Amino acid sequence: MKITSNMQIIGTNIVSSSIIPYLSRNLLLARVGWQSRLPPRHPLRQQAFASDSPGNTKKEKDDDHGDTATSQAPSETSSTSRDTTTSSRPSAGQTSTPPDWDEDPNLNISAFSQLPSSTFGYNQHMIINHDFKEALRQILWQFRAPIRYAFAYGSGVFPQTASGSKSAATVHPHPSPAISSLQGGQGKMIDFIFGVSYTQHWHSLNLQQHRDHYSAIGSLGSSLVSRVQDNYGAGVYFNPYVTVNGTLIKYGVVNLDTLCRDLSEWDTLYLAGRLQKPVKILRDDPRVRLANQVNLISAVRTALLLLPSEFTEQELYGTIAGLSYLGDPRMALPTENPNKVANIVRYQLPNFRRLYAPLIENLPNVSFHDPRCSSSDWMDDPGTNATLAQDMDPKRRGNMVRRLPRSFRSKLYFRYQSKFQIPQLDFDKMLEESNDLDPARVRRQQGSVFDQRIAGDRQEDLRKEVRGAIKSTVQWPSATQSLKGIITTGFVRSVRYVREKIAKYRKGQEREQSASGSAREKGS
């Protein structure tokens, strides 16, 4: 009996001494394998994904329509992504988008095959320098936390000044040659937005890997960080002035549900406004692509309500680019270049055209009205400022009012209830008839009498009321987001940010004065 017991003990020790090191060794190998995973453009990864996209050629991939992140529940692995790029401009033979796609879009889709057409949303993808694009993607791959949707934006990606102007020094410690070359010595911090599925989970993983990206609030844990992100401001958590791959970046984290809601309903216009301007999508998601297309066509309709019967492209794109700045408290302070909107449009006109021209061509009440548009290469010509014309019939413009984003349209309705002095009971009845959320009601395509009355208002009054609704949408979320930034960014980084903004404001003033002086000299 004693011998048997001793044998059992010895056997147990042998099993423990052999299995435990084996499990530990395999866990270590798994972790090392994750940390040394292949980058997205590695030949072996491309070979592995080749079977998933049999129709893609190298030319199609280089034209780029962004990485697509697969569905993923919380785990410690990053989102799997692959390059699903196709030609930069869909050919006429490809599937056309149904004209009524925005009547009742299904924002619960999970695959690109569920979009209204095979070429849907291609206008959102800007073509940029290939090496620069890959440098931006490599930055994403330094984050282990899963990023489902990502885009880079701002003057660090799309210049807002003449290509010849340079700053004294670069802000990047060790940038890649592609970033140094494209920025031309200007040394601008690159801005990103990361869309994530699970806010607290994402910050938990990111705090483990990049604790130095966070201010002191990171010491209180991912639960508090995610509550601060989701419950205050516009639902975005920014980490500025962090170095990744030798490049100085700022990245904002937003929950995908928050992002899609703002894009489709305009409840804050904070991120919707950023995506109304050219951005570089680095990782795509079908639900966001659909919601953003709703955002873009809504921006066109809103701009048309603010514009006369004939206008130029620069006037249209300038109106769209300026929507999210109406009511932004930063524009009233000496921290933003007063010519910011004009500069964005002036230096990015072909990208604005790429973003909005396909949508304009599908709208029944507006069209390009310029002989220059008959040229085959006018889309890429920055010197062309084409003329457009719109139908001012109140019935057609009433349809545009009816199709504005729900949250924003409600604000406009309330303003006109006060202007027209409509009794509350009658107004409530009109709101009930225009309820988009009632599943038993077929959504109306035509604007109501109330919508047509709004659209038929005097142009000056309509412009005033639409601008007022935009300001009431933007003002509070933007102000609280800025105040939240002091906490999430930290005092030192906040002071640095404000100082740099003031410096940019002064440079903008100096350039404007210099340009005005040159114009006067030429005139004399």
Side-chain angles (χ1 to χ4, degrees), residues 45 52 93 140 156 186 236 256 298 363 471 485 490:
R45 282 183 61 91
D52 292 335
L140 296 186
Q186 293 186 36
V236 189
L256 284 179
S298 298
L363 286 174
K471 288 180 180 178

Side-chain angles (χ1 to χ4, degrees), residues 88-125:
S88 62
R89 195 172 296 159
S91 63
Q94 289 176 305
T95 305
S96 60
T97 301
D100 58 347
W101 66 268
D102 63 326
E103 283 300 312
D104 190 17
N106 178 18
L107 296 176
N108 294 318
I109 62 174
S110 58
F112 287 95
S113 60
Q114 295 174 287
L115 290 170
S117 73
S118 61
T119 60
F120 186 85
Y122 278 18
N123 56 302
Q124 299 174 22
H125 289 271

Side-chain angles (χ1 to χ4, degrees), residues 194-214:
F194 298 160
V196 304
S197 298
Y198 307 93
T199 306
Q200 182 177 348
H201 171 72
W202 196 92
H203 285 295
S204 175
L205 296 178
N206 202 46
L207 280 166
Q208 294 176 30
Q209 184 188 10
H210 297 301
R211 174 61 188 87
D212 58 315
H213 290 187
Y214 293 78

Side-chain angles (χ1 to χ4, degrees), residues 178-314:
I179 292 176
S180 298
S181 175
L182 187 127
Q183 291 196 343
Q186 293 186 36
K188 291 180 176 292
M189 181 168 63
I190 298 178
D191 299 336
F192 293 86
I193 292 293
F194 298 160
V196 304
S197 298
Y198 307 93
T199 306
Q200 182 177 348
H201 171 72
W202 196 92
H203 285 295
S204 175
L205 296 178
N206 202 46
L207 280 166
Q208 294 176 30
Q209 184 188 10
H210 297 301
R211 174 61 188 87
D212 58 315
H213 290 187
Y214 293 78
S215 65
I217 195 173
S219 303
L220 302 177
S222 61
S223 178
L224 181 62
V225 169
S226 61
R227 285 203 300 270
V228 170
Q229 172 185 321
D230 293 331
N231 298 336
Y232 301 97
V236 189
Y237 191 102
F238 282 104
N239 283 328
Y241 300 109
V242 299
T243 301
V244 180
N245 267 16
T247 305
L248 190 71
I249 71 168
K250 176 182 76 175
Y251 64 91
V253 183
V254 63
N255 188 279
L256 284 179
D257 292 336
T258 302
L259 175 59
C260 289
R261 184 170 60 251
D262 191 33
L263 291 172
S264 60
E265 299 183 14
W266 285 13
D267 56 349
T268 70
L269 262 176
Y270 192 83
L271 291 176
R274 279 163 172 75
L275 282 161
Q276 287 166 3
K277 295 174 274 291
V279 304
K280 181 54 194 171
I281 297 172
L282 301 167
R283 191 167 295 174
D284 208 352
D285 178 86
R287 190 159 62 109
V288 180
R289 187 189 290 188
L290 177 58
N292 192 30
Q293 201 77 339
V294 173
N295 172 45
L296 296 176
I297 200 166
S298 298
V300 174
R301 288 173 174 146
T302 304
L304 291 176
L305 293 174
L306 295 169
L307 290 167
S309 58
E310 289 195 2
F311 49 90
T312 65
E313 277 188 294
Q314 286 195 356

Side-chain angles (χ1 to χ4, degrees), residues 1 31 42 91 117 218 303 320 353 365 387 401 419 431 446:
M1 181 71 69
R31 185 171 183 178
H42 194 281
S91 63
S117 73
I320 292 174
R353 190 177 289 144
N365 58 321
T387 303
V401 173
K419 177 179 171 62
L431 290 182
Q446 302 297 322

